[in-house]
Structure formats: C-alpha cells, structure tokens
Amino acid sequence: GAPSLPATLRWIREAAEDPTADLAVDIMEVGITYLCSTLGTTRQVPPKVAQLRQGVLATLRDAGKEEFATKLSEAMTTARFLQELDEGSKRLSITTQPKEGMQRYVSGILGKITVWPMRRGFLDHFTQAINGEWDPGCFLEHGGLQLLASWFNDGPDKLDQEWPGAVEALGALVGIAALTAESASEHLPMLYNLAYARLGSTGAASRQLAARIDSAMVQAVEKQLKNQAAKQQGIPEILQRFTKLPGDNGQRFRTTQEVLEHVQATLKLLADGRDDWSVQSWRDAKHEFGQNIARAASGSTVNINEIAWKALSQLEERMVRAIDGKFDSNIARALEQEAKEEAQRKQDATKAWKDEFATRLRALSALAPKGQLLDQTRSGVEALVTAITDVRVLAKQEGSLTTPEVAVALKSAEVACKRYCEHPERRNRQKLWLKQQGFGHCEQLLEANDLLDCLGHLADECRGKKQLPEPWCAAGLPLRVQDGLFRAALSGKLRRNKFDILDNEVPHGWSRVFSNNVGLHYFRQLYGEGQQWEWPTEPEPAATINEPAPPTQDPAATRLLEKDLEHWRSLTNIAQRLQKQLEGMGGESVGGKPAQASEGLCFAWCGEFAAEVASFAAPSDIRSRFWHGVVKPHMDVEDTASALIKAFSAVREGARSHEPVPPTTTHSATSSSHSLSGAAPPSKSASGLANALKLGEQLLQRLNRDGRILKPGNAGCTEVVALLKDLQVAVDSCTHEEDARIKPAKDALVRGRDAVLRHCERPARERMSAKWLRRHGLGHCAALLEDGALLDRLEDLAKAPSLAEGLGMPRSCLTRLSAALGDGRAAADALALGPLPVGWETRISSSTGLSYFVNKDGAQRWDRPAPPDDPEEPLNFPAAPFPTSSFGSAGLGSTADRLVPPSDLCDEAAGPEHLRGTKHSGTAAEWKELVKRAEPLLQEMQQGPSTRGQQPPTRRSALQIAWRGELLAAVRNKGEGSSRQVPARIEAVFWHRVVEPCIAPLGRVSKSM
C-alpha cells in the first residue's frame, strides 16, 4: 500500500539532510509530488503532518531546495485552506461573512490568495454558495466579482480540461455580473472573452454557459433599451462594449446598435415636425426607414429564434413597430388634414342647402312636438304629410335619412300622424272593452282625467302593487270598478297591446296602401274612389246606464207592501254603501277638481248605482219603483263629489219616505236600526254601535280557533251567513265618528267571510287534495285526513306536520306525505283551485259581500262547484285462494309462528321429506320475506294507543282504509326499488292469515265504550 503522509515527510526530511546521497533528489521530488497529490485529493492536513511541516520546510531550505520547500508549503497551505472551507470556517466561508466585514474579507483574505489551487478551491466554494441562494449583493459591491474575474484571467489556458467545475464557476460569476447594469457592462464582456478563450465549445456544459452569458448580456441591453429616454440619448455604453465582442455575438449587438441608431434618427425627424409634408412624403420616409432596418438585420448570422436572442429581436421589433406607428399616425393626420380640406370645400358648397333643409326640419318638428299632432284636424294632418314628404325628398337627395336628427323628427312626425289617424279606432276599442267588463258608465270620467288612453299601460303600472296607481284612485272611480280594473291588469285581461292596431289589420271594405314618399299607410276603398289617412271607423255608441225598466204604475201612487220592505231596505243600503265610498275617497277632494276634469263623475256613480240595483235579487217591479220613483229624481246633479253625496242622502230619505209609517208606540232601537237611511237619530247612535259589536261577538262564538264554522254541515254556514247580513247592515248604519270603535265588529265581519269562503270551498279543495294524494300513492290516507279536517288543509300540513300526529296514521305515510309536500310551495300550485266548470260564473252578494255561484240554468249555490273527479281505481287486494274460514285467525302471534308458513301452502303432504325438500325451503324463504316487509307496520299498529276502539265509526273505518293500503304497499314492496315478487298464492295466504286479522280490531268498538 501507499505510505502514510507522516512517513513520506520523514523520508523527504532524511533525503534533505543528506542531499548528496544517491537518489536523495529523486526521493524528495517523488515524495513532494505524492504529498501534494494526496493533500489535493483529501483536502485535509492530518495533525501529525502539521507538526512536521516546519521542520521539513527548514531542512529543505537548509539543503538549498527552495523550490521543493515552496511547492510543499503551497500544497499544505492549500489543503489546510480547503479543509477549513469544507468545515464551514467562520473566518474563511463566504456565507458566514457579515456585511460590515465583507470589505476586509475581500481585500484581506481573498486578496492574499495567489496560488491557483487555493483560488480554484475557493471558486468551487463560491459556486456552492451561489447555488445555495446566498445573496451576493454585498460581495459585488466591495469588488469581489472583479477579484474573482481576475483569478480566471490569471488561471491556466484550458480551464475545463484540468478543472471540471470551471464552467459552473464561471456561470456563477455571470449570474452575479448580471445583477446590475454597471456590473454587467463592466464584467460580462470580460467573462465572455474568458469563456471564449479559456473554455472549449463542444461540451454541453460549455454550450449552456455560452447561452447563459448570451442571455445575461441580452437582458442587460434590454433593460437599458426599454427606457424611452435612452432611445433618444445616444447609444448606451453597455451596448457599445458588447459590440466589441468577437464572433457572432459582437456582430449581433452591432446590428442592434445600427437599428437603435436608425430609430433615434427617425425619432429626431418625427420630433422636428413636418406639418407641411404630404401623405406621400410620410409614406416615402417610412419606406426608407424600413429599408435601413432590413439592411442592418441582414448583417447578423445569429439564430434569432434562440431563446437567448429572441428577447433582443422582439425588443427591436417593438421599437420598429413604434416608429411605424408614429409614421402611420402622421400619415393618418395628413390624410385627416386633406380630408378636412376636402370636407370644408364640400361644406361651403352645401351650406345654403343645409340651411334650407334645417328650416324645413324645424317646421316639421313644430307641427308634431313630442309625437303629438299640433293641429288635431284633417287640415293639420295634410300639412304634416306635406312637410314629411318635403323632408324625406330633400334628405334622400343628400343621403341624410339616417342622421339622428332627421330620423327623430321623421319618427316623431310619423308617430303623431299614425296616433291621430288611429285614435278614433283605438278609442272605440277602449270603450268597447269597458262595456264588456261592465264599466262602460265610467268612460266619460276616465276620459276627463286623461286615463282612457292609459288603459293599455295599466298592467305595467300595477305590477308589484296592491292597488291601482294614485291617479286612478284619485279619479273618483267606484270601488267595484277600481277592483275590477286592478284584477284585469294583474290577470292579463288588460295588457299593453290590448288596444294596439296591428300593421296587417285592414278595415272591412278598405285596402291598406303604403306611401313611399311619406312612409305611412293610407286607406283606399275597395269599391269606390275614396281614400284617406284616418282609420275608417264608425264611432262607438255612447255608454248608457242600464237602468231598470219603467214601472207600469205611478211609483208615488203605489203603496209599498210589508213583504217588499226587506228588499226595499236592501236597495236603500246600496245607496248608503256608495255614499260611504264617496265619503271615504275624501268627499270634496274629488269634486273639488275643475268642472271639465270631473266630467262624467255623476254619470259614473249613477251607472254604478244602476248596475248594483239591476244585479240585486229583488222583484223587478220593486227595482223599477225604487229606481224611477226614488233614484232618478235626485241623481241629476253636477259632477262634484259633494253634490253626489247629497244626492245619495236624498235618495235614502226619499226611500224612507216610501216605507209604511209604523205605529207611534213602536219607535224603538230595533225599528230605527232598520230605517231606510241606516242612520239612527242621535240618541240612538250608541245603540246601533252596541248592536254591531254584539252581532260581531255572536259571529265569533260560532267560529273555532282555526277560523272554521263550529256547527257542522250547511246549517252552521246558514247561521253565519244570516249573522253576516245583520252585521253588515249594523256596521253600515254606524256614523263616521264611530269608525275607531267599530273595528272589532269589522274584524269579525272579515273573519266570518273567510270562514264561509273556506266552508264553501272545502268540497272542491278536498276533491283536489284526494286526487293529488292518489297521484303520490297516498290515496288510502284521504279518508283519514278528511275525517281529521285536514284534507283541505294540506298546505298547512306542510308547514306544521304535527297537525296529523293524533290521527293514528302510519308513520311511513306521514314521512311520504311530508316528502311529497316539501316546503308547501310546489304542492300549493298543484292543489290550487282551477277555473269553474263550464256553465258556472261567480257573483258578489250585495248584502254580505260574499261570492256565490250561478250556472247557465239560473241555479245558485254557495258551495264552489268542482270539476268532475277522475274515477278512483280500487286497491288490488289479494284474493283468498280458498274459503277464508280455513285460514283461522293467526294474526301476529309469536315470532316462531310468523316465520313458519302453513303446512298446506305447498300443496303436498307435510311430512318429514317435504319439510326437508327444496320446495318447502323456497316457500319458507318467500314467507319470511313477506314477514320482513310487513312486520314493522304490524308492530306499529299493535303498539298503537288503546283509545282507537273508542273513536267514532267514521274514524275507525278511515283507520282501516289507511292501514290496509299502507300494508298492501309494504307487502308488495312498492317504493323500495326491489324487483323481487312473491308468488300470488303465498301473498294471498299471508294477507288473509296474518294481515287482515291485525287490521280487523281497528274497526271494532272497545269494551270500555
């Protein structure tokens, strides 16, 4: 083996002590070479070697072998230096140096390293520090990069041949040099020359280093050239240095310099300004600039698609594009200037024409301001048509039809002309619609308030509101008309295009012709020579009041009979109710408008009065006598609310004067409450209020906490309706000052109406609910829900499932019902009452304010008629395969009894062989499957409350239906997703032997009863 280092030192010292001995020089030379090689490899100095160092060096110098002593000293010093670097010495390691000590470290420690092996070892250490994300900023600031670059410059010629880390170390220096523009300008050319001269170019590492240096130089140049000021302040110093590099790189940077020179020269040209240049002059200058750039780019041989050079090429392209953009801007400006000059010439030539055209356009706008014809006559239309024709002809000659001003003026004129020509037909359609809705008597009032033409827009104005807009409410319309218009607007009967006239509509006997000169349609007679702009129409006949026929006898001479007194007083109450409506609208505020604004007010309320009287269920002769003998003499008043209120009061007084005079001894609170006017003498007012409050209490006593009628059947509803009539009369008889105290009676009136409405809608709602339950597989629960008064309240059940807890319904039914109902919104849509059956219509009772229903044959009813129900499919219960008496009554029994099928189910003798056979095993498995399906429900039913037998017969019957249907669904495994079907014979035996005996007790009366 090789000798140890201490032994080698001893041999060297012994040879130096006798240098004249044979082989002494060879021993020293070989030993020192071996020692230097070993120390360079191990990078460590053993302690024994360090102890022998001074003695050996002194002996060599004494022997005159100074070169040997120097070589040995450098090797040992280098090894010790590298050892401390490897051990992370705080004194030598570059990563442990503080910023304040970096200057001393660079000049004091690194500056004293003169031996190449030590320099090479430190460069390896430096490379590791750079790769370890050490910040070299302070090192660069204190001249460290310049020092290390000088080491490379003083190093061997072929660095990469004897030093594998040379490429990586040089790459680390390149990375530091590129940190700032100053260091890049100063050091990158030198590092490039070092790499170009000292490293080979064939290895992958060398090519990577070259690419890295190229990329660093390009980035440094790019940073300088991105500054706009640099482009105009001469060639940057860094670019000038890079152009002096040898090879293709220097040539590539010289190309960039030439491009920059051309760019700067052109920028100076553009900055000087050439306002007098023509478009062609600017185009020639741009062409010359492009040729100069092309010549500069042709001298480069570097592949511009390489990543390192691509950024520089892109920068040059951006500079060239920027110059081209400035050229294009100047060309566009020159073009614009030339265009302006041309436009000015045209403008001067056409100024007179434009002035004339503007004059005619103003004249056209003046004839139809804001789309309204100024002169609402035929001559006005003809003048407007002439003006439209003149403007269109002049605009077409100069191509000005599409200008906004002309388009707006023509459009406004066309709209005004069309609106005027179609107005009679549109007005006829509005009046016809009002008549069809029973509101024809209000057309004059709507027209006077400028609301008749707004009917088509009422739906948009009512969207999201709870009543008509303020102008409609303030117009003085009767409440029934207001409610009808509001409902029509919300339901879609009254929509925006309800009264529009379509472009393809043609009146009968006329043809529609389009005028190209005017841009509008005019009408020409099919069988004649007549033509006109207005829509050919006949005026809609004026609305009339549908008053009762005149009586056959003189009303004043005819005496009112006692049997007709109730009808007479009800008719008087109509006058009182309408009077209260007018008073509630503000009294004088409606009639306080100007006379023309209130025109039609009297006619509207008189027509409303006539409609109420005509629809009242009283003998025709009573209605005729009341209208012609009492109403008509007092209703011919001025169109003010105050006059109408006085007229209604006069009607009531006149009606009371026709009543038979009671005996003087019978003047009591009761008789006064039935007076025609409904207003008791001042001393009786408190009695009328007390009567209303008392009737309200009696009405509430007939309702339960849920707002339903306590007494079952129609008898309870009849009682509540009778109380509602009396309460309505009592409330109407109260004075205005008692409104605050009468509120409990009014609230009772509302609750009573809701109770009657719910009672009358209950049959229809129960039918809809039963149909919905059948669709969801819960039809067998309908009878139980009906008995519990929940069938018509499924929407309430969705919000409060606890309402059904006391019915005894199977829990699985409740779960499925809750899932089907969801949050109630989807179920509410499905359970909503649909339209009435064909032949039925709704009417409002004037005495109670309730809805009742009348069919085409004249039959009347309170209950809402429902459409015919779908035929209900009966549940397909298993049929008994043999007489039921043979089943016995097994019921639930024990678990062992349930799990063992009857012995006669297999149609074989029940012997040991049969019991061990496969047929019996299969039957037993099917039987166990049925037990598994039905057992949860059977146990739930068996564990039910003991009070089931004490329920009424209807409840017990409903319980049997519900449990039987749910058990049938469980036995047949409906809704579980299983496709396994049990044979019908086994299912039938199980049903009649196990299920039916468990259901039967639900219908029995318990002994406690």
Side-chain angles (χ1 to χ4, degrees), residues 663-674:
T664 56
T665 59
T666 59
H667 285 271
S668 62
T670 305
S671 62
S672 66
S673 65
H674 292 288

Side-chain angles (χ1 to χ4, degrees), residues 522-544:
Y522 65 93
F523 302 94
R524 179 185 297 165
Q525 283 183 335
L526 293 177
Y527 310 104
E529 297 180 356
Q531 60 183 24
Q532 62 187 45
W533 291 104
E534 297 89 345
W535 183 281
T537 185
E538 294 294 333
E540 181 71 18
T544 59

Side-chain angles (χ1 to χ4, degrees), residues 58-94:
T59 303
L60 287 172
R61 291 189 180 97
D62 293 342
K65 301 300 181 182
E66 185 64 32
E67 70 277 9
F68 287 160
T70 301
K71 184 176 181 180
L72 179 60
S73 177
E74 290 179 354
M76 296 184 69
T77 302
T78 299
R80 181 61 184 169
F81 177 75
L82 296 178
Q83 180 179 355
E84 292 188 19
L85 285 179
D86 293 342
E87 293 174 353
S89 171
K90 292 184 179 180
R91 184 178 66 88
L92 298 180
S93 177
I94 193 171

Side-chain angles (χ1 to χ4, degrees), residues 776-964:
H776 289 80
L778 294 167
H780 52 280
C781 300
L784 187 56
L785 289 169
E786 181 180 3
D787 188 72
L790 290 174
L791 187 57
D792 62 327
R793 299 174 58 195
L794 291 184
E795 298 174 36
D796 298 337
L797 192 59
K799 301 173 184 177
S802 59
L803 294 175
E805 289 181 355
L807 295 179
M809 186 184 298
R811 285 193 295 268
S812 55
C813 289
L814 289 175
T815 302
R816 289 161 56 198
L817 181 59
S818 298
L821 289 172
D823 59 359
R825 287 178 291 184
D829 295 338
L831 295 171
L833 293 176
L836 292 173
V838 178
W840 287 88
E841 63 179 12
T842 306
R843 292 187 182 176
I844 305 298
S845 171
S846 59
S847 60
T848 62
L850 295 171
S851 300
Y852 65 96
F853 305 95
V854 181
N855 68 359
K856 58 184 178 180
D857 299 328
Q860 301 179 1
R861 56 186 291 181
W862 290 107
D863 292 351
R864 179 186 178 92
D869 198 1
D870 299 334
E872 182 178 358
E873 297 182 2
L875 295 176
N876 185 19
F877 292 107
F882 35 83
T884 55
S885 60
S886 62
F887 287 114
S889 56
L892 281 173
S894 65
T895 304
D897 293 338
R898 293 199 304 271
L899 296 178
V900 178
S903 58
D904 56 352
L905 192 59
C906 303
D907 293 333
E908 294 183 3
E913 295 298 330
H914 167 73
L915 296 177
R916 289 193 295 267
T918 57
K919 186 172 183 179
H920 183 77
S921 299
T923 302
E926 301 289 358
W927 187 269
K928 291 178 181 179
E929 176 65 22
L930 291 176
V931 172
K932 177 182 176 182
R933 296 177 184 178
E935 190 168 15
L937 279 172
L938 292 174
Q939 290 182 350
E940 179 187 351
M941 182 170 55
Q942 191 180 41
Q943 295 169 2
S946 58
T947 57
R948 284 177 176 169
Q950 302 174 9
Q951 301 285 356
T954 55
R955 175 63 61 87
R956 296 199 302 271
S957 176
L959 282 170
Q960 281 188 318
I961 295 173
W963 282 94
R964 185 176 283 112

